């Protein structure tokens, strides 16, 4: 099972979905967590006062995350959360060390 993780340091889930410029992709199999790769994405939040829904960016992000069961981040707004769900990507808001969090998520998904 593949997970996309929002992390600044590669150790903790500690990044807001909208601030991510790359996701760390992990595989969880038989309670073994393995880092596979980084996948670059366009940052969703541009601090635009109008803050329009950036559906094109979310679609590109969803395309970059093909094969991932879920996106795990420390925070996500309702609009991108809903759009990701509509595109078939499950967002989870969780903070903590990457490995134990992914092991726990893999058990329930």
């Amino acid at each position: 099972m593949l997970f996309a993780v929002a992390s600044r340091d590669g150790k903790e889930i500690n990044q807001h979905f909208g601030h991510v410029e790359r996701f760390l992709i992990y595989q969880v199999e038989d309670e073994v967590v393995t880092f596979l790769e980084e996948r670059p994405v366009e940052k969703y939040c541009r601090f635009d006062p109008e803050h329009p829904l950036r559906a094109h960016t979310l679609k590109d992000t969803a395309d970059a995350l093909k094969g991932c069961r879920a996106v795990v981040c420390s925070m996500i707004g309702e609009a991108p959360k809903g759009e990701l769900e509509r595109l078939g990507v499950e967002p989870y808001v969780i903070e903590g060390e990457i490995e134990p969090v992914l092991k726990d998520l893999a058990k329930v998904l």
Side-chain angles (χ1 to χ4, degrees):
M1 185 177 313
L2 298 182
F3 291 91
V5 175
S7 175
R8 286 187 290 277
D9 59 12
K11 297 175 183 161
E12 301 274 331
I13 299 162
N14 57 10
Q15 198 166 22
H16 186 293
F17 173 84
H19 301 170
V20 172
E21 292 180 334
R22 54 115 172 99
F23 282 99
L24 305 179
I25 307 302
Y26 290 85
Q27 180 175 24
V28 181
E29 190 173 315
D30 299 324
E31 292 207 32
V32 175
V33 178
T34 306
F35 172 73
L36 298 179
E37 64 181 323
E38 289 185 14
R39 293 187 189 171
V41 295
E42 183 180 345
K43 187 162 58 168
Y44 178 75
C45 288
R46 297 291 181 160
F47 303 106
D48 180 346
E50 305 280 319
H51 197 63
L53 292 178
R54 296 170 45 85
H56 71 285
T57 301
L58 288 173
K59 179 168 181 345
D60 291 346
T61 298
D63 288 346
L65 301 178
K66 283 209 186 314
C68 292
R69 177 77 162 93
V71 171
V72 186
C73 55
S74 65
M75 207 172 202
I76 187 170
E78 287 302 313
K81 179 181 177 192
E83 185 66 15
L84 285 175
E85 289 170 343
R86 189 183 73 70
L87 293 169
V89 179
E90 294 183 61
Y92 288 90
V93 175
I94 304 171
E95 291 185 344
E97 288 183 53
I98 293 170
E99 190 170 320
V101 167
L102 296 184
K103 283 181 182 179
D104 288 346
L105 267 178
K107 290 176 188 173
V108 298
L109 294 179

